[in-house]
Every structure is written in structure tokens, then in C-alpha cells.
Amino acid sequence: MEKYSRETLIELLKEAVSTVPTKLQYAIGGATALEEHGYKRYTQDVDVFVLSQHLNKFMKALSNAGLQVFTIQEPSHYAAKIPGDPEPERRIDVLVPYSEPELSAIQYAIVGKEGLRVFTGDFLAMVKFYAFDDSGDVRHGFDLAAMYRRGMFDADTVRDMIASI
């Protein structure tokens, strides 16, 4: 495995979360979660959502695994990268949600093939919908359309969840 790679980041993330208490609530979102559900999209980062009360323990675990941790924008966006990696976008983005649907997405996360907690398809679709709606970033819209075509979420469930928020 290449020293500076997304796969190395995922291995270091697995090492980090294995050292913290099991009650620590986090979940993988973004392209890494999409891959867990069968849709591969190229990206260099790994998005991890963590509850605010667990942020310090989580960041300490990433540091103990050998990653360089830093703040991007307090109080909701932090990151970790492999020291010396020349690619600034190849990092673990640690996101602290303060509202739905991300809070429920963390609570109802499932253990994926890599052994990490990941968003379920329904919550991943909701997060993508809100990210597209908030940012206008078409990548989220494309992801949502691709997920729908692949049957990765239940459209009725997601529609009902969106209506309830």
C-alpha cells in the first residue's frame, strides 16, 4: 500500500476507532459510504461525522494513530492527514453535525465491509439531498441520482424523512 493514499487513511482510521470506547458514535459518509453501498466515486478524502461530545476523543485517537490533526473551521470541521503528504485534499474530514439528518445518520449507522460505521443508504440519500440543497454542489445531485438508479435507498422512506424535518 502506498504511504500517501486514501487506502492508508482508511487503515489509520480503522486503527484509531479501534482504540476508543465502543460507545463513541461516529459514521462514515460521503464517497466512502457510497462505496460501501456499491457505488464507487473517485475522491481523495474520507468524510467522518462524529457527535460533538466525542470530538476530542476522536481527534486524539486519530493523532495517536500517527495522523496530523488540525482545525478547518470551528466548531464543525476538523481534519487529519498523513504527515508529509503533499496532497492537501487527501485527508480525513471530521464533521460535527448539529442538526438532522446527520445526527440520526450517526445514530442509525451500520457496520460496513471495512468494519467501520457507515451511513445507511436512506440516511446517505438524505444527507446528499440536503448537501445539494444547501450548497448547490452538483456532485451531490449526481450522487443522489446515481443512488436512486441503483436502488440504494427507498425513495418513499427518504421522501417521508425529508417531509418530517
Side-chain angles (χ1 to χ4, degrees), residues 41-59:
R41 180 171 64 76
Y42 177 76
T43 185
Q44 293 198 62
D45 68 343
V46 178
D47 294 332
V48 181
F49 293 77
V50 63
L51 296 180
S52 61
Q53 63 265 35
H54 298 156
L55 176 65
N56 290 337
K57 285 182 185 176
F58 194 81
M59 296 305 285

Side-chain angles (χ1 to χ4, degrees), residues 26-28 104-111 117-120:
Y26 75 92
I28 307 296
S104 290
I106 293 171
Q107 180 182 353
Y108 294 107
I110 58 172
V111 176
R117 291 172 48 87
V118 298
F119 288 176
T120 65

Side-chain angles (χ1 to χ4, degrees), residues 85-141:
D85 189 346
E87 175 53 58
E89 297 301 314
R90 188 172 30 240
R91 65 186 188 211
I92 297 171
D93 280 320
V94 181
L95 306 161
V96 181
Y98 290 95
S99 62
E100 296 296 343
E102 292 91 348
L103 291 174
S104 290
I106 293 171
Q107 180 182 353
Y108 294 107
I110 58 172
V111 176
K113 295 175 281 210
E114 293 278 347
L116 295 167
R117 291 172 48 87
V118 298
F119 288 176
T120 65
D122 291 346
F123 279 109
L124 184 56
M126 283 184 52
V127 169
K128 285 289 181 183
F129 171 81
Y130 280 108
F132 175 67
D133 189 49
D134 286 344
S135 71
D137 185 338
V138 295
R139 291 177 297 177
H140 297 300

